[in-house]
């Protein structure tokens, strides 16, 4: 366990972009022990993904280039081989075989026109001299290992339970048919978690000594994320495989890593054991990353961010008295006063027995049945309240949010907004109503027209609704909104691709505020952001709520984030309401097993959790 499988020494990677030199990785060094997990953590642009691409020999050239350093890979031999100096033909013998990688976006890593079986067999045959039938059997074995396929014994038991009188040959034929059915599915026919399991199965199909996982759980629900982390831990320990796990979330690092390297602006600013990093962080950047994660067991007024711990020159800042007040926990008296104030405001929105279904088409396009995405849902939201909506993908929360704005049609029920029947509004009345009801979508890039400057995008609702007619006044309003969401006013002539993800989300928030709405639906609006940027956006939403007297529905699969934002939480599962209650009560006294499952899946990153995981692994070995 103590020998080294990978040793990176003084690695530097540069990119030449538009006559500019970008130093993506600056002379970093680290080691990965055999059978150990190194967690590399940092925000977008820190250089962590470029580091993994350099190890794999996948830095795009041009514009990228490894300009210095050594990458020693030692799969049981000494002194090993320097991957940085290998020609491409020899490097292919290591890449995908002895060193394998799981990429961040699994859907973009698979060819949509080929079945998963075809792609797995192709990858196995690329690195092993075996027949296609043997490769197919290996693919089935790997899909079983990652638990996308039941074992043969489980399949046999299921078949015999349904048809106890089948003869052994018929049972074996049914098993083979069910296994083949998985191989014949296309990527779009699988969920996000299932696709990620396919990518893991493909990555381990050639028994790699080192597996690199680059943000493999970023877009997944917390429950699916937990199962993927469990799977990677199990595979690592059973196979004696080394693992590099790359993420922006220190909470996830605590769940899987033995050693941690914290990257900031292309450099490793701190490294050590996972327990030491969490117990005694030394660098201000590490302290900021740890502090900006929402903690479900306490309710803070605002979240600290990396900028609160680091000065512009990279030196450490200490929180002053005002900061300590802003980031202090909310007292019980303050919480009770807010609950009383919200109760006296009266409801802004009331939903009664709402139903939304999607048709399943049959022969000649006729509707055979409906899949009920929202099924008999009722609730009320008070003026000024933040109403959290939480559940796994497919539970109906996004469909519910869009149905409230009539972006998808409802099949039944009632939606009342300030006493107006939303479902009864004609097109003219609905346009007027939507001035008061806005939405911030999950993906800010697809929410903005790439051919339209951000200033024009923010001014567009003002022009459409005729609220501010003169261009000078529109420009003044746009400048004010950009300033309120923390963006410089001189950026209004820039285009969406010139902004980071967090900045684009701020632009979308500014556009949602343009018409002075009373009600905003935030649909997974921070799920794709780095934890520090996420903290900035969450703080911004809280500040804007006070300034503009806003009412929110905050939709997310992450209960820790929802609890930080919300006064009350509604948990949804398969289109129905599991439970509704105050945010603290939902977290501390959940009434339903499904809610408890969501809570248990949150990567808390406590020292007690780290010690428990390390102790259980030591006992297992």
């Amino acid at each position: 366990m103590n020998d080294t499988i990978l040793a990176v020494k003084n690695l530097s990677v540069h990119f030449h972009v538009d006559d500019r030199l970008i130093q993506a990785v600056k002379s970093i060094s680290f080691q990965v022990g055999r059978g150990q997990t190194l967690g590399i953590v940092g925000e977008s642009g820190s250089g962590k993904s470029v580091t993994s691409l350099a190890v794999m020999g996948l830095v795009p050239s041009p514009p990228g280039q490894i300009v210095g350093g050594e990458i020693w890979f030692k799969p049981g031999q000494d002194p090993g081989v320097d991957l940085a100096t290998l020609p491409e033909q020899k490097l292919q013998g290591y890449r995908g075989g002895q060193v394998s990688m799981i990429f961040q976006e699994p859907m973009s890593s698979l060819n949509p026109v080929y079945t998963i079986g075809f792609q797995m067999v192709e990858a196995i045959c690329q690195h092993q001299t075996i027949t296609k039938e043997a490769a197919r059997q290996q693919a089935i074995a790997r899909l079983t290992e990652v638990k996308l396929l039941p074992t043969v014994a489980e399949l046999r038991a299921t078949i015999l339970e349904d048809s106890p009188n089948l003869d052994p040959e018929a049972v074996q034929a049914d098993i083979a048919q069910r296994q083949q059915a998985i191989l014949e599915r296309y990527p779009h026919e699988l969920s996000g978690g299932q696709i990620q399991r396919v990518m893991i199965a493909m990555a381990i199909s050639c028994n790699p000594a080192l597996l690199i996982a680059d943000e493999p759980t970023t877009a997944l629900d917390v429950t699916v994320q937990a199962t993927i982390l469990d799977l990677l831990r199990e595979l690592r320990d059973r196979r004696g495989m080394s693992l590099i796990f790359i993420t922006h979330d220190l909470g996830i690092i605590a769940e899987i890593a033995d050693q941690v390297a914290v990257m900031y602006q292309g450099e490793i600013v701190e490294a050590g054991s996972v327990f030491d990093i969490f117990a005694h962080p030394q660098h201000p950047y590490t302290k900021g990353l740890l502090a900006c994660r929402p903690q479900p067991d306490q309710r803070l007024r605002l979240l600290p961010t990396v900028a609160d711990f680091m000065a512009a020159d990279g030196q450490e800042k200490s929180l002053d008295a005002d900061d300590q007040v802003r980031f202090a926990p909310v007292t019980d008296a303050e919480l009770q006063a807010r609950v009383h104030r919200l109760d006296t405001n009266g409801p802004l929105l009331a939903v009664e027995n709402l139903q939304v279904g999607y048709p399943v088409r049959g022969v000649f396009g006729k509707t055979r049945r409906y899949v009920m995405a929202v099924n008999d849902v009722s609730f009320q939201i008070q003026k000024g309240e933040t109403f959290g909506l939480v559940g796994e993908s497919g539970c109906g929360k996004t469909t519910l949010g869009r149905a409230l704005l009539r972006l998808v049609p409802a099949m039944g029920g009632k939606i009342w907004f300030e006493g107006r029947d939303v479902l009864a509004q004609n097109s003219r009345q609905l346009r007027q109503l939507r001035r008061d009801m806005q939405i911030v979508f999950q993906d800010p890039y697809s929410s903005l027209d790439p051919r339209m400057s951000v200033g024009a995008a923010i001014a567009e609702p003002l022009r459409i609704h005729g609220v501010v007619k003169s261009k000078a006044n529109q420009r003044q309003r746009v400048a004010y909104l950009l300033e309120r969401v923390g963006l410089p006013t001189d950026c209004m002539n820039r285009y969406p691709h010139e902004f980071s993800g967090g900045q684009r989300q701020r632009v979308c928030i500014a556009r949602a505020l343009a018409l002075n709405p009373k009600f905003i639906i935030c649909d997974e609006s921070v799920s794709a952001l780095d934890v520090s940027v996420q903290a900035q956006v969450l703080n911004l939403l809280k500040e804007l709520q006070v300034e503009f007297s806003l009412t929110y529905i905050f939709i997310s699969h992450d209960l820790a984030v929802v609890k930080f934002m919300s006064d009350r939480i509604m948990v949804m599962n398969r289109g129905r309401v599991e439970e509704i209650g105050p945010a603290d009560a939902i977290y501390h006294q959940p009434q339903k097993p499904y809610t408890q499952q969501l809570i248990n899946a949150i990567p808390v990153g406590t020292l007690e959790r780290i010690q428990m995981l390390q102790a259980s692994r030591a006992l297992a070995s």
Side-chain angles (χ1 to χ4, degrees), residues 112-128:
V113 302
Y114 292 113
T115 64
I116 63 170
F118 176 88
Q119 296 181 69
M120 289 192 68
V121 168
E122 182 184 44
I124 293 169
C125 290
Q126 179 75 24
H127 294 279
Q128 300 180 44

Side-chain angles (χ1 to χ4, degrees), residues 443-510:
D443 183 3
Y445 193 74
S446 63
S447 302
L448 297 169
D449 188 333
R451 299 165 299 179
M452 184 180 289
S453 69
V454 298
I458 296 171
E460 187 177 33
L462 301 174
R463 177 177 52 80
I464 290 174
H465 288 271
V467 177
V468 179
K469 296 183 179 180
S470 76
K471 289 187 176 181
N473 289 340
Q474 287 180 10
R475 189 175 181 84
Q476 185 178 2
R477 175 68 174 167
V478 169
Y480 168 73
L481 290 169
L482 286 171
E483 189 177 80
R484 282 307 304 120
V485 300
L487 292 174
T489 57
D490 58 4
C491 75
M492 66 175 66
N493 294 322
R494 293 164 58 187
Y495 289 84
H497 71 273
E498 299 179 83
F499 293 85
S500 68
Q503 289 173 325
R504 283 195 289 265
Q505 198 60 286
R506 289 172 182 264
V507 171
C508 292
I509 293 170

Side-chain angles (χ1 to χ4, degrees), residues 191-234:
S191 69
Q194 289 174 324
I195 293 175
Q196 198 60 282
R197 287 174 186 268
V198 171
M199 294 307 302
I200 295 171
M202 195 177 296
I204 66 174
S205 61
C206 296
N207 298 310
L210 173 66
L211 177 63
I212 302 173
D214 184 9
E215 299 270 14
T217 62
T218 297
L220 303 179
D221 295 333
V222 285
T223 49
V224 180
Q225 172 182 275
T227 60
I228 295 296
L229 293 176
D230 287 340
L231 174 62
L232 287 172
R233 280 195 297 260
E234 180 184 331

Side-chain angles (χ1 to χ4, degrees), residues 561-577:
V561 172
V562 172
K563 181 178 177 295
F564 168 74
M565 285 295 297
S566 304
D567 300 293
R568 288 186 302 140
I569 293 175
M570 182 170 80
V571 182
M572 287 190 69
N573 182 22
R574 298 182 180 180
R576 294 185 177 273
V577 177

Side-chain angles (χ1 to χ4, degrees), residues 2-3 11 22 33 115 168 174 235 244 247 253 263 272 282 329 353 356 378 407 432-433 450 509 534 566 584 591 598:
N2 294 323
D3 55 336
L11 177 66
I22 299 174
T115 64
D174 199 348
L235 292 171
I244 295 178
T247 182
I253 286 290
M263 290 196 70
Q282 301 299 311
N353 310 115
V356 182
S378 301
L407 298 177
Q432 181 67 25
L433 185 65
I509 293 170
Q534 172 183 276
S566 304
D584 290 298
Q591 302 300 306
L598 291 177

Side-chain angles (χ1 to χ4, degrees), residues 351-407:
V351 177
E352 301 173 5
N353 310 115
L354 185 64
Q355 291 184 311
V356 182
Y358 293 103
V360 177
R361 306 293 182 185
V363 180
F364 304 119
K366 292 184 178 180
T367 300
R368 289 191 301 161
R369 59 187 175 88
Y370 284 88
V371 175
M372 299 307 297
V374 177
N375 199 352
D376 196 28
V377 170
S378 301
F379 60 91
Q380 289 187 347
I381 302 177
Q382 306 299 111
K383 293 177 182 176
E385 181 180 21
T386 298
F387 188 79
L389 188 52
V390 68
E392 297 174 286
S393 295
C395 72
K397 56 187 187 295
T398 292
T399 299
L400 172 59
R402 297 188 179 201
L404 298 179
L405 300 181
R406 280 183 55 181
L407 298 177

Side-chain angles (χ1 to χ4, degrees), residues 104-119:
Q104 179 172 355
E105 180 46 64
M107 186 63 82
S108 65
S109 302
L110 293 172
N111 193 322
V113 302
Y114 292 113
T115 64
I116 63 170
F118 176 88
Q119 296 181 69

Side-chain angles (χ1 to χ4, degrees), residues 87-337:
E88 178 63 24
Q89 187 174 3
K90 287 188 176 181
L91 186 59
Q92 286 180 0
Y94 288 89
R95 184 170 59 220
Q98 297 184 60
V99 184
S100 197
M101 186 168 180
I102 307 166
F103 293 94
Q104 179 172 355
E105 180 46 64
M107 186 63 82
S108 65
S109 302
L110 293 172
N111 193 322
V113 302
Y114 292 113
T115 64
I116 63 170
F118 176 88
Q119 296 181 69
M120 289 192 68
V121 168
E122 182 184 44
I124 293 169
C125 290
Q126 179 75 24
H127 294 279
Q128 300 180 44
T129 308
I130 58 175
T131 65
K132 286 190 175 181
E133 176 56 28
R136 192 184 74 86
Q137 292 300 323
Q138 277 201 30
I140 291 172
R142 298 293 80 78
L143 291 174
T144 303
E145 190 174 3
V146 300
K147 302 176 183 177
L148 187 58
L149 257 175
T151 64
V152 171
E154 290 169 339
L155 285 171
R156 181 178 289 110
T158 301
I159 292 167
L160 290 175
E161 184 179 350
D162 295 336
S163 305
N165 298 323
L166 279 181
D167 60 80
E169 289 186 2
V171 171
Q172 193 60 39
D174 199 348
I175 290 173
Q177 184 179 4
R178 296 187 185 208
Q179 291 174 333
Q180 184 64 25
I182 290 289
L183 295 178
E184 291 178 352
R185 296 175 74 177
Y186 288 86
H188 72 271
E189 298 179 288
L190 302 175
S191 69
Q194 289 174 324
I195 293 175
Q196 198 60 282
R197 287 174 186 268
V198 171
M199 294 307 302
I200 295 171
M202 195 177 296
I204 66 174
S205 61
C206 296
N207 298 310
L210 173 66
L211 177 63
I212 302 173
D214 184 9
E215 299 270 14
T217 62
T218 297
L220 303 179
D221 295 333
V222 285
T223 49
V224 180
Q225 172 182 275
T227 60
I228 295 296
L229 293 176
D230 287 340
L231 174 62
L232 287 172
R233 280 195 297 260
E234 180 184 331
L235 292 171
R236 174 199 63 191
D237 296 340
R238 185 171 66 245
R239 289 168 163 260
M241 182 176 64
S242 300
L243 179 64
I244 295 178
F245 193 97
I246 298 171
T247 182
H248 62 263
D249 190 344
L250 272 166
I252 297 175
I253 286 290
E255 291 289 308
I256 198 166
D258 302 299
Q259 299 289 318
V260 181
V262 182
M263 290 196 70
Y264 176 67
Q265 294 184 353
E267 300 178 305
I268 293 178
V269 296
E270 187 167 359
S273 73
V274 63
F275 185 85
D276 288 342
I277 291 293
F278 275 75
H280 310 291
Q282 301 299 311
H283 197 275
Y285 182 69
T286 310
K287 295 177 182 178
L289 287 180
L290 286 167
C292 67
R293 296 179 302 122
Q295 298 296 328
D297 57 343
Q298 61 178 339
R299 180 186 289 271
L300 302 181
R301 291 185 175 88
L302 294 174
L303 291 171
T305 66
V306 169
D308 296 308
F309 290 83
M310 289 186 67
D313 58 1
Q315 298 300 308
E316 183 171 5
K317 290 196 305 185
S318 58
L319 297 179
D320 58 26
D322 290 339
D323 290 332
Q324 292 173 5
V325 171
R326 286 193 301 131
F327 304 138
V330 178
T331 65
D332 290 340
E334 291 173 323
L335 192 58
Q336 291 173 2

